[in-house]
Amino acid sequence: MNDLIRTPDLAGVSWDSGGAALIGSLTTIEEIATDIKLEAAYPGLAAAASGLATPQIRRMATLGGNLAQRSRCWYYRDPYSHCFKNNGSTCPARSGNHLYGVAFDLGPCVAPHPSTMAAALLAYEARVVTDRRDLSIDQLLSDAYGGATDNGLESGEMITRVTLPPPMVGERALYRRAISRAYAEWPLVEVVARAVLVNGSFQFVRLSAGGVAPAPLRLTSAEAAASGSAATGATIALAAERSISNAKPLPMTVYKLELLKAIVQDLLERLSG
Amino acid sequence: MIAQCSNFSVTGERTEDGTKLAAGVRSPLRDAGVIGMVFGWMFRRFLHVAIGAGLPSCVQVAEVEVDTLLGRTRVLNVHSGIAVGKIVAPALARNQACGAVIQGVGYALYEGREIDLGTGDVLSAGMEDYRIPGIADTPLIDVHFDEEGFDHVLGGSVGIGEVATVPTAAAIANAIRNAVGVRPFEIPARPDRMLRLLNEGQRA
């Protein structure tokens, strides 16, 4: 275990000459949520940061910590249970109570990835730089599909910063999170949507969903359904329907598909309006 | 048992809760003769209720918003009418009533004892998974005390307890029915349950 002393080069946001942001891994979630320049360039990222956890946690939690956090599965955190992530060879949630489990059952573990920031950074095609490598969000988190871990960091490896490509011209972005309380809950489903509209048509659409799969998921079928089409109710309804096209819900998580469709529909409608 | 321990001395014994009536007031059952005595004994023996001692009661009206897209219910206002007799400490009584309403909101919408059906293991065994209302989930709470009707009780009032928790979940469920036309019979009325009910309501 390393004691990460806050150092200037790991905290804070800097910008390169091309308008791309570099966010240090020790930057707090609150700093990301309230940075005016970040919010202007990457509104989906700032909104996602504002939506997670509580004010106290946002003030203390860091971007690196959020990306590398462990599963919130109640079996994984139960001292008397064993699972793929905890010296076991089964997933007790799969046969047991998986009320908050995945709706895209793509691995042996049925816990969704807990990182909201990862879902937002996936939509922005960010790169995660560690002290050893430079990874995409998919590369960082794809090991979660194996079930034994939540990320692909090696022992002792540390995320140092996250880099985002410059925003596209005219792009807008929104974030929405389905939870039962007003705040302070792990998302049932969350979506970051980015879009560029030209003459009433979706020229570019990026949709990334959290809370539904072992790692944050790009909704590529929904993106394809909307991209290049007129931003009409029919297009948006088709994209919402396609957002669940590869879903494999568990018995207790069918409701998440409805939430996912509803959020995609809502975000695309608001982006087109 | 405690009284037999050498370290303890019994200085007085508490009588049955609420049996002491104000001076000059007789229990209505005692005036009803033998049948009244039998009923009085049965109520005390089996229900632990002393007739005529004054029972606390509460009536509530809840106002809610239901997000029919994502299934979330938000309680906006809860109006409470509470009858526990004369209010001795108004600030404390109001505080207790407000706390009880917030507890009732949690009971109605968030608090679920999730278990593993195979082992009986309680999975929602911490504040992270056993969810109670936060400040943003707390409605505006309006409390009215109706102080009449407890003159026969010694001291003119009874304990308020959590009487304001009793009707909250039912009032919220009724408000949901009034708002969106479907009545939740299961609590907590979580988003997944509300979406299922709304879909069933649409099909019906």
Side-chain angles (χ1 to χ4, degrees), chain B residues 16-143:
Chain B
E16 192 170 14
D17 276 352
T19 51
K20 279 194 179 154
L21 300 180
V25 176
R26 289 174 60 84
S27 161
L29 285 177
R30 191 162 299 171
D31 289 335
V34 176
I35 290 180
M37 285 176 67
V38 170
F39 270 89
W41 177 81
M42 283 170 64
F43 272 103
R44 281 203 301 278
R45 175 71 180 77
F46 298 111
L47 300 176
H48 309 288
V49 170
I51 299 297
L55 291 173
S57 53
C58 177
V59 175
Q60 276 175 354
V61 177
E63 294 175 53
V64 303
E65 266 178 9
V66 181
D67 178 343
T68 54
L69 195 66
L70 302 184
R72 185 165 85 84
T73 301
R74 190 160 82 96
V75 185
L76 304 174
N77 282 293
V78 173
H79 309 274
S80 291
I82 297 173
V84 289
K86 195 174 78 185
I87 299 302
V88 180
L92 279 179
R94 187 168 297 276
N95 202 352
Q96 179 74 2
C98 291
V101 169
I102 296 167
Q103 199 179 337
V105 170
Y107 184 52
L109 299 178
Y110 314 122
E111 296 178 42
R113 186 173 140 277
E114 292 296 330
I115 59 167
D116 179 85
L117 283 178
T119 62
D121 194 9
V122 177
L123 301 166
S124 53
M127 297 305 283
E128 179 179 330
D129 296 313
Y130 190 85
R131 290 163 188 165
I132 63 171
I135 193 69
D137 306 306
T138 301
L140 289 175
I141 302 167
D142 157 40
V143 180

Side-chain angles (χ1 to χ4, degrees), chain A residues 2-67:
Chain A
N2 293 331
D3 183 11
L4 303 177
I5 298 165
R6 208 178 155 99
T7 49
D9 57 327
L10 287 187
V13 182
S14 55
W15 298 82
D16 75 7
S17 53
L22 290 77
I23 309 177
S25 65
L26 293 186
T27 310
T28 66
I29 303 301
E30 185 189 69
E31 284 163 352
I32 294 168
T34 55
D35 186 308
I36 292 167
K37 206 172 163 192
L38 263 187
E39 195 193 357
Y42 310 103
L45 183 73
S50 308
L52 68 88
T54 64
Q56 294 95 323
I57 290 171
R58 290 198 294 272
R59 184 158 291 188
M60 295 303 293
T62 62
L63 177 61
N66 186 282
L67 290 172

Side-chain angles (χ1 to χ4, degrees), chain A residues 171-235:
Chain A
E171 80 161 81
R172 294 174 60 211
L174 291 168
Y175 168 77
R176 191 159 184 193
R177 179 185 187 93
I179 48 178
S180 64
R181 290 194 292 201
Y183 301 103
E185 213 172 282
W186 300 95
L188 303 169
V189 177
E190 61 187 344
V191 177
V192 175
R194 298 168 62 205
V196 177
L197 268 93
V198 176
N199 301 327
S201 289
F202 287 114
Q203 192 185 59
F204 166 87
V205 176
R206 271 289 173 279
L207 294 163
S208 162
V212 294
L217 205 63
R218 273 269 304 276
L219 304 173
T220 47
S221 302
E223 289 172 2
S227 297
S229 300
T232 60
T235 300

